[in-house]
Amino acid sequence: MIQAVRRSWESLSLYLPVLLMALLALGSWWLVRNAPSAPKTAQERSVGHDPDYTMVHFMVKDFDVQGRMQSEIRGDQADHYPDTDTLEIQNVDMRGYAPDGAKTTATAKKGISNSDASEVQLWGNAVVIRQPLPPKSPMQFEGEFLHAWTQEERVKSHLPVVLTQGKDRFTADQLDYDNVSRVVQMQGRVRGVLEPGR
């Protein structure tokens, strides 16, 4: 009888390390499965399109390395959206200054700007005025929507636009203006009035 118990104990002791390892593995698996997850980073938390900060009655100025002002943005309120890194501005008033001294102004009821203000979408009574150095006349764009690229010096719209320079006036259903190449493309119902020079 004692020998039978001893043989059973010896047989059991051969499998005891395997059983202990199985119990430890099962316990580890249970702990990992039920452990709390790591806290999410700020970037993971802000997946929704919610503003992370708001500015009210603000003005932001941007300067180059020589201290010359490059741009200025004002508005009644601006909301920054981190998921798209854009500013949504109510009653936007922008000014951009080119190295040659030309000034571009843009106003609208609402503006959406990227982080460096190099691309701006203007909604509601949108007006963009490019004021070159004399003797050239200012060029004015008006419409319900204007899409402006300040560094590329382009203005585009898929909605009706009025283009005025001096006494010349054009209307079109769509517009694509490139100041660098000095090319304006108008589509749809295009009408123009050209005043003869004196």
Side-chain angles (χ1 to χ4, degrees):
M1 172 88 167
I2 295 177
Q3 285 190 350
V5 171
R6 184 179 284 172
R7 268 188 250 138
S8 298
W9 178 253
E10 286 175 1
S11 298
L12 184 65
S13 65
L14 288 174
Y15 296 105
L16 188 61
V18 174
L19 288 171
L20 285 173
M21 292 296 284
L23 282 171
L24 284 172
L26 187 62
S28 298
W29 173 80
W30 182 83
L31 281 173
V32 168
R33 186 168 177 248
N34 293 311
S37 59
K40 293 183 178 180
T41 64
Q43 191 174 20
E44 290 173 329
R45 281 194 298 267
S46 62
V47 292
H49 191 65
D50 297 318
D52 59 348
Y53 68 83
T54 299
M55 297 183 285
V56 178
H57 301 294
F58 70 97
M59 177 173 45
V60 177
K61 295 182 179 183
D62 182 37
F63 297 88
D64 65 12
V65 292
Q66 283 82 27
R68 293 181 301 235
M69 188 160 52
Q70 290 182 309
S71 65
E72 179 183 345
I73 303 175
R74 302 175 191 204
D76 289 348
Q77 180 174 323
D79 296 310
H80 180 262
Y81 293 91
D83 59 329
T84 56
D85 196 16
T86 55
L87 272 178
E88 195 169 295
I89 307 163
Q90 304 301 322
N91 292 323
V92 61
D93 183 357
M94 301 179 69
R95 293 171 186 355
Y97 302 93
D100 66 357
K103 181 171 85 169
T104 301
T105 61
T107 57
K109 289 182 180 177
K110 179 181 173 184
I112 300 174
S113 171
N114 64 351
S115 59
D116 63 354
S118 62
E119 182 180 348
V120 183
Q121 298 178 50
L122 303 164
W123 299 88
N125 293 331
V127 178
V128 174
I129 302 172
R130 186 170 195 288
Q131 299 175 333
L133 299 175
K136 295 180 182 176
S137 300
M139 186 175 285
Q140 180 169 310
F141 304 87
E142 299 173 71
E144 278 303 301
F145 171 77
L146 295 173
H147 197 159
W149 290 266
T150 56
Q151 293 174 355
E152 298 173 25
E153 298 186 47
R154 282 186 64 204
V155 176
K156 191 173 182 178
S157 181
H158 64 284
L159 296 177
V161 175
V162 177
L163 169 60
T164 308
Q165 185 170 25
K167 294 184 178 182
D168 301 338
R169 187 173 194 267
F170 297 90
T171 59
D173 290 337
Q174 296 179 20
L175 175 131
D176 188 348
Y177 173 74
D178 187 336
N179 186 59
V180 176
S181 64
R182 304 280 190 203
V183 173
V184 60
Q185 296 179 27
M186 297 180 166
Q187 297 177 353
R189 294 169 295 173
V190 179
R191 293 191 177 102
V193 176
L194 294 169
E195 291 286 335
R198 296 187 179 187

